[in-house]
Amino acid sequence: MPSLDTHDIGVTPNTAPADENRLRPAVASAFAGAPAYWRSLEHLACDGDVAQQANAAFPMLREAIARHDRRGFLTRLGAGLALAGMAGCRRWPKEEIRPHTARPAGVAPGVAEYYATLFELDGVAHGILAKSYDGRPIKVEGNPEHPMSLGAASALAQANLLDLYDPDRSRHVMSRRSAADAGGDGHRVKQSWDAFTSAVEGRLAEHRERGGEGLAVLLQPSGSPTQRRLVDELKEALPQSQWFAYQPIHHDHAWEGSRAAFGQALRLHYDLKRAKVIVCFDADLLGTHPAHLKLARDWAEGRTTADRGVMNRLISIEPSWSITGSVADERLPLKPSFVEAALERVASRLGLLEAAADPLNEATATRLDALADELIEAGEGAVVAVGPALSPRAHHLAHAINRRLGSAGACATHTAEPLVEDAPDGYVRSLRRLSELLQGNVIRTLIILGGNPVYDAPADAPLDLFSTDDRPLLSIHLSMYDNETSRACAWHVPMAHGLETWSDGRSWDGAYTLGQPLILPLFDGKSPLELLSLIAGRPTGDTRSLVRETFRRRFPAAGAKGWELAIHDGYQAGSEWATISPEVRPVPAFNKPVRSSRAADEEPGFELQFTADAKIHDGRYANNPWLQELPDPLTKLTWDNAALVAKADADRLNVTTGEKIRLAVEDGAKQAIEAPVLVMPGQAIGCISIALGYGRTSAGRIGNRVGVNAYPLRTCERSYTVVRCRAQKIGGRYALATTQMHHLVESVAHFALKKRLGEAGRPGLLIHETSLAEYRRDPRAAHAASHEVHAAPLFDKPADFDEPHKWAMAIDLNACIGCSACVVACQAENNIPVVGKANVAVNREMHWLRLDRYFKGAASNPDIVHVPTACVHCEKAPCEQVCPVAATLHDSEGLNAMVYNRCIGTRYCSNNCPYKARRFNYFDYQASDPREPAKPWLDIPDRQQPEEVSNFKKMAHNPEVTVRMRGVMEKCTYCVQRIVDARIAAKNEFARGARDADVVREGEVQTACQATCPTRAIVFGDLNDPQSAVSRARRNPRSYEMLAELNLGARTTYLAKIRNRET
Amino acid sequence: MSSIRLSQTAERPQRELQAYDPRELTPLVLGGHDFTSITDLVTDLALRKTPRMWYVAMAGALSLLSLLLVTVAYLLTAGVGVWGNNNAVSWGFPIVNFVFWVGIGHAGTLISAILFLLRQRWRTGINRFAEAMTIFAVCCAGIFPGLHVGRIWLAYWLAPYPNELAMWPQARSPLLWDVFAVGTYAAVSLMFWYMGMIPDLATLRDRARGRLAQMVYGILSLGWNGSSRHWVRFERAYLLLAALATPLVLSVHSVVSFDFATAQLPGWHTTIFPPYFVAGAVFGGFAMVLTLSIPAREWFGLRDLITPLHIENMAKVLLGTGLIVAYAYSVEFFTAWYSQQHYEQFVFLNRPLGPYWWAFWTMVCCNVIAPQSLWFPWIRKRVWAIFVVAIFVNIGMWFERFVIVVTSLSQDFLPGSWAMFTPTWVDLGMLAGSFGLFFTLFLLFCRFLPMVAIAEVKTVMPQAQTTRHQIKFDYQPSSDTPRELRRGSWFT
């Protein structure tokens, strides 16, 4: 491992590397043979006569030496020993520091800089802002100027930062020693990039001579115009070469449906700002949709209008909970085949199809008919969305419905679909073609750029990458991790992280988005652009000029200044695609036989649904501890996936949460997997859902053997749903670590929940919620159940804590969708450790901000409420009065401050906190491996962290926030470091005369959770300013304080949730 | 004097048959002892033969103690996460054990101080015992708050001492009150115990044969020579210390209850806690005295000094305090209903019916139902039966603290934060280990110190009454009267 000093690795482009020898002359000369300590130049030069010369020069020195008699010697010896003993009482951690001896121009140490760059997921770029401290990117936020992120960043985009510093990242080019070692895992050797290029150069030159014959490239889909340009150039130069693309979470069905509807693959965009009625058929617009940030923002804008008495209406018909379904005004859980049948029914009601017998029961059918009528009434304000899992026909139907309603062109617009160029007939078919070609002896060289197809390919399209004597296949895999595919390939090349290299991409609406590196590649990773250059026989290494060239060609008018501006902004303004409004072809009549409802209910089999994991997506983030530990937005499950089963089905299978079942598919792949069950209220009956991406074997220390791999059940034809799946209890239990229990089961708890959360027609004590109709009648209807608070103080009036600011937060439950981006933002901002599954299982998760998810109503189809809960900064904080060492105190601005240095860990504060918002370091989580048991130490405590915390982990830490050790309590601070930053800036400006008071103004402080929230559900600011957003939120009639009856004066208040329905 | 049957043995068969005669006092010492034989009986344990059972018991106690040491070492190196505590249940076994042991420590001072002031003469047989138990229970209690903090090496910050940070402890915190309350209690109890032991230590010194024993007992007895002046000052000091210790009996557990009562957690935040805790402590303490004294009197031949009367009296105290505790339990439920406070109501519904129902019902069975058997003389007359009841009460009192701490914390205001608590092997090991510490200290005490207050017991013997009578009416001692004749009773 190379030296881990930050300046060795993280050389910022504008920082001169430190010269080691220049900084340590004594050490340098010591190696040259001279004494390490020296009195004069003569001594240093080892002149033998130094003593004599010294005596001549300093006669009194000789006297002083001669005066040492025995007594004096012993006296000094004793004193010396005593002093040495005193010094030895306290051993400080040993570490080396290397200061900037000359500060580089334009760099202020300790002042954060922000760079606009991009995060690409599934071929769609998201504009992000990376915060960098002294050359280290430490935090990812949304780019506020970017039209598709508007300041928000998803949990994945933020957590992706941690991958940059992942100690498990691949650090070397690896190769198999010989073809004969094929398949052997232990016969791989470390290589250098140069060794790699010289080894493959001959082969590539050969391919170039033959026009690319025998060369195949498998791309991880990317919207990068530069990659597109290089690929197009290569295709032209090497016409015989074959190009493929694959990703497991694909939109093949949408493309196909769009082709059926329009004759070409088009991308569908929703304008939720204008939409009045939004109906989602298994479409997670607010959660996993590639444009979810923008969609969530627009949707939320249609919710906050509740205060004016109007509000959009969201209806979700889905087999398993999605984020969209969890905030829907009405939700209908139906198994996948029924979701399609429901769509057919709506379409026939709208006159697009002939009414046919469908398997839906009467109640459902009535609701669907009402829904169709509602759609007709809303007209062009209505929009129907269909998820990628539904069949191409369903997508075709949705296009037809939107056209019929008039929303096509209004709330639903179309643009070209650029990703389809990589795989014109879809990713799955592309991969299947590659799989077939590999069976034959056609491909001699296969280059896989990114992805992990060996792990996530459909079961019936495996990639046979093993090279044999009669089939010499040269396979090369570029990847950030030495993963399953890398191990199957002859060569593995480490890939650069997105923050290490230049890149470009297109956001969902087509905006040209630029990605700039913030740090040199830590492990000498290469970008896919470099590998494409290598194939073309061009020099590698200069990705910047490749991207620049693309920019120049696309925007010739922009010039150098335009390039600078685009880099600064992170995207090129006005580069979005133009919308097109094609005609929709009629939907063909349904030709499959429809099963009767009775038969469907009695069928012994289940429908199996594969879902993209909300955290680790398709498995690529499996080694990311922040994401592994992030509670799933709906199940609150961490460190695992599970087979989600409805209560009725669980009873039928005779299983409870944690018991294992075997899932076997009856068609296609004859595979079976064993998975633990999680009984999920609101799961569609007859449908078992399981998240993809788990059960990795070569993910790294964090991701290996976490959860169950569901890919073996997936086939090319059944990418998202398996219609016939057998489930069977196999006995045995598996411990699932959830951060919240399912309290619906316990009868006593249910009594409390009904009162606290409310019932039909009666608002709850904690969760204030009402219907739009009620709210229109009485804006305070949601608070009907809460107690009247008598806040008469016993003694003197307590302090107001309002000098010079009065910080407060307001959380709009009507806007919160539970996406969990805020949880990751908080974790990244505040150096919150990951505790590992074993500790989550005993409820020791450290997230300062948790999203309480409450079910309400019947277990078959409950409502969900998401309640972000963190420290509410009570003015009369119960935690403060019980701390025996005064480690938690109030400041003058109302922050309930936590003094980590002073905390001895009695944990009384946590007991006395009614919100249980405090988190305790039961172990030294920063220093321990989340997959291992806590490591005991046998050293003085403060030595532990410097020595034990991984140097890579340290690099990801925010230097403005203390890293807490074991035995210390911690909690939300309202991002006090950001407040202090803003205050310093304000004071400096005031001192310069640039502002009239040395106070922070509205908008200058944003907490981490607030900044990243896609729906702007969180506002933070100063109550002293009556015009601040938080003051306005407090005046909102929906505003309430949770547990107000305790008279604590919480500074975080909530805005009641309004559901757009009758009751 | 003929009415006192000196020949009576431990069982009192004839007495049952006779009609109650108020003139007849129940003897507090049986077995026809005189002053010398009493001294022999007690000092022989310390100075001569060690019963075999002592070695057996000590082996068991030491193995439990080593379990404590192992778990503590593991705790110190790995962190407090080795326990089952979590975000919701931040206090688990350590605080349960702490309150349990502090409670045990109550009986000693109650017996030695309050019963002394109330002239309960029967206390003399068991007071030394109970006081020693108090000290050791407080030792066991004392280790838990210290070990329970997250950064043990900084636990001294709880102490008010001038320092460079100019930081003082935060006086509003009940944990700080605890430090003072338990500290004061431990100091006064130790003083009381030791001071009361001085005359007996002098006896041991005088009878010791080995040089080392003579020196150690000599130092410990502080030059006691039994002079009248010593006795006068001793008795006065003893009385004063008893007066000082009496309020402490009430204060310590009241303050410990503030740890809970001043919090605002439903199930903790209640005004009944101070008296309820004190009664519970006396209840649990007497149960522990019984648990210790019943085997000890068998094994160490003290059946004549700790008589069935003592056991029965203690059983009566157990019954009385048990009734107070049962009343407190029921009043808590009444208050929850009467308050119409929803969170409070949920807690008290959740205790008997929620996930920790087994802990609650164990507590009720052990603390409320089991002591009711003591209404029956048949039970009270049988030492083994009382022993069984005492064991039940010990278990029940531990569960009482478990119920209070864990059920209240695990399901409080916001259902989103609810979490279950499951103890780990370290939790259980430290609980068992604390018994190891307790029994080790207790067995060492039995072996090396006077288990029964020799001098005090003699005052309740008939011989002492007779002599005192004579002194009172017939005999005026002068200043040169030999000390043996001055009081004639306490010294042989």
Side-chain angles (χ1 to χ4, degrees):
Chain A
M1 200 169 74
S3 157
L4 292 175
D5 186 281
T6 54
H7 295 294
D8 281 359
I9 312 166
V11 180
T12 50
N14 50 7
T15 307
D19 179 357
E20 220 167 279
N21 288 336
R22 187 158 51 80
L23 294 175
R24 287 190 286 181
V27 179
S29 57
F31 284 114
Y37 300 94
W38 39 278
R39 286 196 300 273
S40 64
L41 290 172
E42 283 81 0
H43 186 195
L44 184 66
C46 298
D47 193 323
D49 214 4
V50 174
Q52 217 171 15
Q53 290 181 25
N55 287 342
F58 309 102
M60 60 283 202
L61 190 68
R62 187 179 181 177
E63 266 175 54
I65 295 168
R67 248 204 332 268
H68 280 296
D69 54 357
R70 188 184 59 85
R71 272 185 103 76
F73 173 74
L74 286 174
T75 310
R76 282 168 183 79
L77 184 70
L81 271 177
L83 285 170
M86 280 165 66
C89 290
R90 185 71 181 77
R91 282 174 295 161
W92 294 98
K94 194 178 92 179
E95 55 185 36
E96 290 171 18
I97 54 165
R98 251 176 278 174
H100 277 299
T101 41
R103 185 161 58 126
V107 174
V111 176
E113 290 167 316
Y114 291 84
Y115 296 93
T117 179
L118 68 80
F119 163 72
E120 193 177 55
L121 183 71
D122 289 351
V124 178
H126 300 269
I128 57 170
L129 215 51
K131 183 182 190 180
S132 175
Y133 260 103
D134 300 341
R136 285 183 299 127
I138 57 141
K139 175 103 174 51
V140 163
E141 292 182 8
N143 182 351
E145 285 162 42
H146 195 284
M148 291 306 279
S149 81
L150 299 167
S154 66
L156 299 190
Q158 297 180 68
N160 185 38
L161 174 89
L162 207 59
D163 282 352
L164 174 65
Y165 302 115
D166 189 345
D168 290 349
R169 258 177 79 183
S170 154
R171 303 183 190 189
H172 309 279
V173 177
M174 303 287 285
S175 78
R176 248 197 243 117
R177 206 173 286 150
S178 67
D181 290 335
D185 226 26
H187 301 284
R188 299 168 77 230
V189 284
K190 288 178 188 169
Q191 297 276 13
S192 69
W193 171 250
D194 290 336
F196 166 71
T197 49
S198 55
V200 302
E201 186 44 47
R203 177 71 76 98
L204 290 174
E206 209 176 295
H207 284 304
R208 280 196 289 273
E209 274 168 30
R210 296 192 187 173
E213 194 192 334
L215 173 71
V217 182
L218 175 59
L219 297 166
Q220 184 171 29
S222 168
S224 163
T226 303
Q227 178 171 324
R228 177 89 264 125
R229 180 169 67 82
L230 295 184
V231 169
D232 286 347
E233 284 172 12
L234 275 170
K235 277 182 182 169
E236 207 172 308
L238 309 172
Q240 304 290 317
S241 61
Q242 312 229 34
W243 295 79
F244 308 91
Y246 177 68
Q247 73 185 22
I249 309 299
H250 58 75
H251 289 77
D252 288 6
H253 297 176
W255 296 350
E256 209 178 310
S258 157
R259 272 209 200 89
F262 309 115
Q264 54 176 323
L266 293 180
R267 189 176 276 190
L268 178 54
H269 302 264
Y270 305 103
D271 186 354
L272 298 191
K273 225 185 263 183
R274 292 169 64 184
K276 303 274 183 299
V277 178
I278 306 152
V279 184
C280 295
F281 289 88
D282 197 11
D284 190 8
L285 296 187
L286 311 181
T288 50
H289 190 279
H292 67 103
L293 294 175
K294 173 83 166 106
L295 291 172
R297 169 71 78 88
D298 289 349
W299 171 82
E301 277 182 27
R303 303 298 277 186
T304 43
T305 52
D307 298 329
R308 299 198 300 273
V310 287
M311 199 163 111
N312 65 26
R313 189 162 141 78
L314 178 64
I315 295 143
S316 183
I317 299 162
E318 58 186 14
S320 181
W321 283 105
S322 68
I323 281 176
T324 309
S326 74
V327 291
D329 298 300
E330 276 196 49
R331 177 175 178 272
L332 201 54
L334 292 179
K335 61 183 183 180
S337 62
F338 285 15
V339 173
E340 302 227 359
L343 183 64
E344 299 266 346
R345 186 166 184 109
V346 171
S348 63
R349 183 88 176 178
L350 290 170
L352 292 162
L353 287 173
E354 271 186 43
D358 58 42
L360 304 167
N361 66 28
E362 208 164 307
T364 309
T366 318
R367 281 181 79 177
L368 287 168
D369 292 345
L371 173 64
D373 296 344
E374 203 180 320
L375 281 173
I376 295 166
E377 199 182 314
E380 63 167 48
V383 63
V384 169
V386 165
L390 261 54
S391 66
R393 181 184 156 84
H395 287 268
H396 188 175
L397 272 176
H399 291 303
I401 293 173
N402 284 335
R403 168 64 60 182
R404 171 64 54 92
L405 293 171
S407 56
C411 297
T413 53
H414 300 274
T415 65
E417 172 60 70
L419 291 175
V420 81
E421 285 178 46
D422 283 333
D425 48 357
Y427 295 135
V428 172
R429 283 185 199 151
S430 178
L431 188 78
R432 182 151 65 180
R433 209 152 42 79
L434 173 62
S435 168
E436 283 160 8
L437 286 175
L438 280 170
Q439 305 294 326
N441 203 354
V442 188
I443 294 170
R444 292 185 56 230
T445 305
L446 173 63
I447 300 173
I448 305 171
L449 298 181
N452 190 6
V454 167
Y455 164 72
D456 57 26
D460 54 352
L463 293 193
D464 180 11
L465 297 173
F466 295 129
S467 168
T468 51
D469 284 338
D470 48 307
R471 197 183 69 127
L473 173 70
L474 176 70
S475 49
I476 300 162
H477 186 217
L478 175 74
S479 169
M480 260 180 60
Y481 291 91
D482 193 15
N483 60 22
E484 291 85 347
T485 308
S486 306
R487 280 159 204 262
C489 286
W491 286 89
H492 157 75
V493 180
M495 184 158 79
H497 187 273
L499 295 173
E500 291 174 339
T501 179
W502 285 90
S503 58
D504 54 5
R506 307 213 81 156
S507 58
W508 183 254
D509 65 347
Y512 181 82
T513 307
L514 273 164
Q516 52 174 332
L518 275 89
I519 190 166
L520 286 177
L522 291 170
F523 306 122
D524 205 20
K526 303 291 170 191
S527 128
L529 302 180
E530 287 180 84
L531 240 68
L532 289 169
S533 300
L534 186 79
I535 300 171
R538 294 214 206 107
T540 59
D542 190 5
T543 47
R544 181 176 183 272
S545 46
L546 289 175
V547 173
R548 173 103 208 238
E549 176 61 20
T550 311
F551 183 83
R552 196 184 58 77
R553 289 191 199 177
R554 294 240 167 186
F555 309 103
K561 200 151 187 168
W563 164 250
E564 295 290 329
L565 192 68
I567 292 180
H568 176 270
D569 293 349
Y571 78 106
Q572 176 68 15
S575 55
E576 299 87 350
W577 292 307
T579 56
I580 38 183
S581 38
E583 268 312 308
V584 183
R585 296 174 185 170
V587 189
F590 206 51
N591 51 8
K592 281 188 203 167
V594 174
R595 288 164 301 194
S596 79
S597 63
R598 281 190 71 79
D601 283 347
E602 286 165 9
E603 221 175 335
F606 287 90
E607 290 185 20
L608 181 64
Q609 184 203 25
F610 303 108
T611 54
D613 192 66
K615 307 181 293 171
I616 64 171
H617 198 55
D618 54 8
R620 71 180 74 178
Y621 298 115
N623 209 47
N624 192 311
W626 285 350
L627 292 175
Q628 284 284 12
E629 191 147 309
L630 180 69
D632 181 278
L634 285 317
T635 62
K636 298 290 160 192
L637 182 61
T638 64
W639 291 97
D640 264 311
N641 61 345
L644 307 186
V645 174
K647 183 79 180 71
D649 288 337
D651 293 344
R652 195 146 65 102
L653 288 168
N654 189 25
V655 288
T656 55
T657 296
E659 282 184 281
K660 281 176 154 182
I661 54 170
R662 181 197 304 277
L663 294 169
V665 174
E666 292 176 3
D667 53 351
K670 294 271 183 293
Q671 295 273 5
I673 58 169
E674 291 172 3
V677 162
L678 183 70
V679 180
M680 190 69 186
Q683 171 82 4
I685 292 173
C687 173
I688 297 176
S689 299
I690 189 160
L692 296 168
Y694 289 86
R696 297 274 310 267
T697 52
S698 301
R701 258 197 319 222
I702 300 296
N704 283 348
R705 298 176 310 283
V706 171
V708 178
N709 185 3
Y711 281 112
L713 297 185
R714 230 183 169 212
T715 59
C716 292
E717 291 304 312
R718 307 282 187 206
S719 284
Y720 288 108
T721 39
V722 175
V723 183
R724 291 170 70 78
C725 164
R726 257 183 314 127
Q728 195 184 355
K729 179 180 178 176
I730 55 168
R733 291 194 74 87
Y734 181 86
L736 293 169
T738 51
T739 58
Q740 258 188 286
M741 297 184 274
H742 296 270
H743 298 292
L744 278 171
V745 192
E746 290 170 44
S747 55
V748 184
H750 202 182
F751 159 80
L753 286 173
K754 276 202 291 193
K755 206 136 187 181
R756 290 178 205 192
L757 308 182
E759 296 170 87
R762 206 194 59 189
L765 284 171
L766 298 175
I767 314 302
H768 293 197
E769 182 187 340
T770 188
S771 66
L772 184 62
E774 279 290 322
Y775 179 67
R776 280 202 196 115
R777 226 178 353 262
D778 172 15
R780 300 193 53 80
H783 313 312
S786 55
H787 296 278
E788 194 185 328
V789 179
H790 303 281
L794 272 179
F795 306 109
D796 299 339
K797 190 177 171 295
D800 287 329
F801 304 112
D802 60 351
E803 288 174 9
H805 300 286
K806 190 173 180 181
W807 301 117
M809 185 179 271
I811 299 174
D812 190 347
L813 297 184
N814 207 24
C816 177
I817 56 173
C819 70
S820 306
C822 50
V823 180
V824 177
C826 178
Q827 185 154 29
E829 172 75 17
N830 293 302
N831 300 336
I832 296 172
V834 171
V835 303
K837 182 183 169 183
N839 278 289
V840 175
V842 290
N843 294 89
R844 290 180 186 158
E845 64 276 2
M846 293 297 289
H847 300 128
W848 289 0
L849 174 61
R850 64 171 197 262
L851 288 171
D852 283 349
R853 167 230 49 193
Y854 295 112
F855 293 109
K856 192 175 152 182
S860 58
N861 186 17
D863 287 335
I864 275 185
V865 194
H866 300 287
V867 187
T869 312
C871 173
V872 299
H873 295 264
C874 313
E875 285 178 1
K876 284 156 274 178
C879 50
E880 290 173 10
Q881 60 135 345
V882 297
C883 176
V885 292
T888 182
L889 309 151
H890 240 67
D891 81 353
S892 68
E893 299 179 349
L895 298 191
N896 168 234
M898 183 68 219
V899 189
Y900 303 125
N901 302 2
R902 180 69 181 166
C903 176
I904 63 170
T906 67
R907 309 190 287 286
Y908 199 170
C909 51
S910 176
N911 286 343
N912 212 21
C913 173
Y915 303 88
K916 290 283 174 286
R918 291 177 159 262
R919 296 288 176 261
F920 186 69
N921 289 276
Y922 278 98
F923 289 115
D924 205 332
Y925 295 121
Q926 298 281 4
S928 52
D929 185 334
R931 294 298 300 280
E932 301 281 329
K935 190 161 39 170
W937 49 243
L938 293 167
D939 203 340
I940 51 173
D942 358 5
R943 275 176 73 122
Q944 184 177 22
Q945 284 200 340
E947 289 180 8
E948 295 293 333
V949 180
S950 150
N951 283 298
F952 289 110
K953 271 196 199 168
K954 276 187 212 167
M955 288 180 76
H957 283 159
N958 182 357
E960 298 206 319
V961 178
T962 311
V963 175
R964 284 80 58 184
M965 71 180 309
R966 98 176 207 207
V968 173
M969 190 61 80
E970 56 185 72
K971 59 157 197 95
C972 164
T973 62
Y974 273 168
C975 285
V976 63
Q977 65 279 5
R978 292 182 175 221
I979 296 174
V980 171
D981 267 356
R983 185 187 297 140
I984 290 170
K987 282 196 192 273
N988 285 346
E989 258 186 44
F990 176 66
R992 282 202 308 274
R995 67 166 72 193
D996 45 10
D998 64 343
V999 290
V1000 178
R1001 296 197 196 111
E1002 167 77 358
E1004 288 178 340
V1005 186
Q1006 279 206 320
T1007 61
C1009 52
Q1010 174 193 17
T1012 206
C1013 179
T1015 58
R1016 292 281 172 269
I1018 303 174
V1019 293
F1020 175 80
D1022 186 357
L1023 285 180
N1024 284 345
D1025 174 2
Q1027 290 317 309
S1028 68
V1030 71
S1031 295
R1032 277 183 280 128
R1034 284 232 170 172
R1035 290 195 295 269
N1036 188 312
R1038 289 191 289 131
S1039 174
Y1040 74 99
E1041 189 186 324
M1042 211 198 285
L1043 294 176
E1045 59 269 35
L1046 297 180
N1047 195 17
L1048 302 170
R1051 282 283 171 92
T1052 299
T1053 49
Y1054 292 86
L1055 297 179
K1057 187 172 176 71
I1058 311 286
R1059 283 196 207 259
N1060 192 351
R1061 64 183 180 209
E1062 286 310 306
T1063 50
Chain B
M1 292 322 298
S2 59
S3 65
I4 295 172
R5 289 181 296 273
L6 292 176
S7 61
Q8 196 177 30
T9 54
E11 307 302 323
R12 293 175 293 172
Q14 314 99 301
R15 193 177 148 73
E16 305 298 332
L17 306 171
Q18 289 171 359
Y20 175 65
D21 180 357
R23 291 170 304 168
E24 191 178 312
L25 285 170
T26 312
L28 292 167
V29 175
L30 305 174
H33 285 285
D34 58 15
F35 291 161
T36 316
S37 69
I38 292 281
T39 309
D40 289 343
L41 187 64
V42 178
T43 56
D44 275 3
L45 263 173
L47 298 176
R48 285 174 195 95
K49 49 186 191 257
T50 308
R52 193 187 301 150
M53 274 313 286
W54 188 86
Y55 289 105
V56 175
M58 194 66 181
L62 280 177
S63 52
L64 283 179
L65 177 63
S66 49
L67 178 62
L68 178 71
L69 296 179
V70 167
T71 49
V72 167
Y74 180 49
L75 169 82
L76 294 182
T77 52
V80 291
V82 299
W83 291 322
N85 301 22
N86 57 40
N87 282 337
V89 187
S90 288
W91 286 356
F93 268 38
I95 297 297
V96 173
N97 296 346
F98 162 70
V99 181
F100 172 73
W101 282 117
V102 169
I104 299 288
H106 270 65
T109 313
L110 182 97
I111 290 167
S112 45
I114 294 185
L115 297 189
F116 177 74
L117 294 180
L118 296 177
R119 300 278 190 272
Q120 293 295 310
R121 285 156 23 108
W122 59 275
R123 74 180 260 288
T124 53
I126 52 167
N127 75 329
R128 173 71 42 75
F129 224 87
E131 283 168 35
M133 187 198 73
T134 292
I135 305 294
F136 306 145
V138 171
C139 285
C140 291
I143 58 172
F144 284 106
L147 290 176
H148 133 276
V149 300
R151 299 203 289 170
I152 293 150
W153 51 97
L154 297 176
Y156 68 92
W157 284 356
L158 285 166
Y161 71 104
N163 57 59
E164 71 282 12
L165 299 170
M167 277 299 291
W168 292 95
Q170 209 268 105
R172 289 185 301 165
S173 171
L175 291 187
L176 190 70
W177 312 341
D178 248 13
V179 171
F180 291 114
V182 177
T184 311
Y185 186 68
V188 171
S189 303
L190 185 69
M191 212 151 61
F192 200 26
W193 177 58
Y194 175 60
M195 218 203 70
M197 214 156 43
I198 287 174
D200 296 347
L201 285 169
T203 309
L204 284 175
R205 172 199 63 196
D206 295 346
R207 295 181 148 229
R209 289 182 189 154
R211 184 88 188 118
L212 182 69
Q214 284 172 345
M215 279 177 68
V216 172
Y217 289 127
I219 290 167
L220 288 177
S221 56
L222 300 179
W224 177 272
N225 61 13
S227 73
S228 181
R229 193 164 302 195
H230 279 183
W231 275 112
V232 168
R233 288 191 179 141
F234 170 81
E235 284 180 6
R236 238 175 239 167
Y238 197 80
L239 186 68
L240 284 175
L241 269 179
L244 189 63
T246 301
L248 288 179
V249 176
L250 303 175
S251 75
V252 183
H253 228 51
S254 296
V255 172
V256 168
S257 81
F258 292 161
D259 284 351
F260 306 103
T262 58
Q264 56 166 351
L265 195 76
W268 285 14
H269 182 72
T270 161
T271 46
I272 199 180
F273 264 17
Y276 159 27
F277 267 50
V278 171
V282 174
F283 181 53
F286 267 89
M288 189 54 92
V289 177
L290 281 168
T291 311
L292 291 178
S293 57
I294 290 174
R297 71 192 275 274
E298 295 294 331
W299 295 346
F300 305 137
L302 297 174
R303 289 159 63 144
D304 293 342
L305 300 182
I306 303 168
T307 65
L309 175 76
H310 288 100
I311 307 286
E312 190 179 342
N313 278 352
M314 285 195 278
K316 284 176 180 165
V317 176
L318 205 61
L319 178 59
T321 47
L323 288 173
I324 301 177
V325 166
Y327 170 75
Y329 293 165
S330 52
V331 161
E332 278 196 312
F333 279 86
F334 169 77
T335 314
W337 167 75
Y338 189 69
S339 70
Q340 286 299 302
Q341 219 263 3
H342 174 251
Y343 300 109
E344 191 87 4
Q345 288 181 337
F346 170 67
V347 166
F348 284 96
L349 203 58
N350 200 28
R351 279 188 185 167
L353 302 175
Y356 289 105
W357 60 270
W358 46 270
F360 176 84
W361 291 110
T362 307
M363 172 188 95
V364 170
C365 290
C366 294
N367 287 354
V368 179
I369 297 169
Q372 302 312 317
S373 61
L374 298 174
W375 287 107
F376 304 103
W378 190 89
I379 301 274
R380 286 207 310 273
K381 299 281 184 270
R382 268 149 193 85
V383 171
W384 62 265
I386 291 175
F387 184 73
V388 170
V389 172
I391 293 290
F392 269 114
V393 173
N394 282 325
I395 295 169
M397 284 312 289
W398 188 89
F399 270 98
E400 179 195 298
R401 278 63 177 246
F402 180 87
V403 166
I404 290 170
V405 171
V406 173
T407 64
S408 312
L409 282 171
S410 71
Q411 302 195 324
D412 65 345
F413 294 97
L414 304 191
S417 66
W418 289 359
M420 295 293 287
F421 167 84
T422 316
T424 63
W425 69 269
V426 183
D427 279 314
L428 299 167
M430 286 183 83
L431 172 60
S434 67
F435 278 92
L437 175 65
F438 180 72
F439 287 127
T440 304
L441 290 171
F442 189 76
L443 287 166
L444 287 174
F445 157 76
C446 292
R447 173 68 184 79
F448 294 109
L449 291 172
M451 268 177 74
V452 175
I454 305 169
E456 281 192 60
V457 163
K458 289 174 186 166
T459 64
V460 300
M461 288 170 70
Q463 293 90 323
Q465 307 308 316
T466 318
T467 325
R468 202 161 118 202
H469 191 258
Q470 285 168 350
I471 289 168
K472 200 173 178 188
F473 296 106
D474 307 339
Y475 180 70
Q476 294 296 319
S478 66
S479 61
D480 56 347
T481 311
R483 65 168 190 257
E484 286 84 352
L485 297 178
R486 243 182 264 156
R487 298 291 297 271
S489 60
W490 278 25
F491 211 74
T492 48

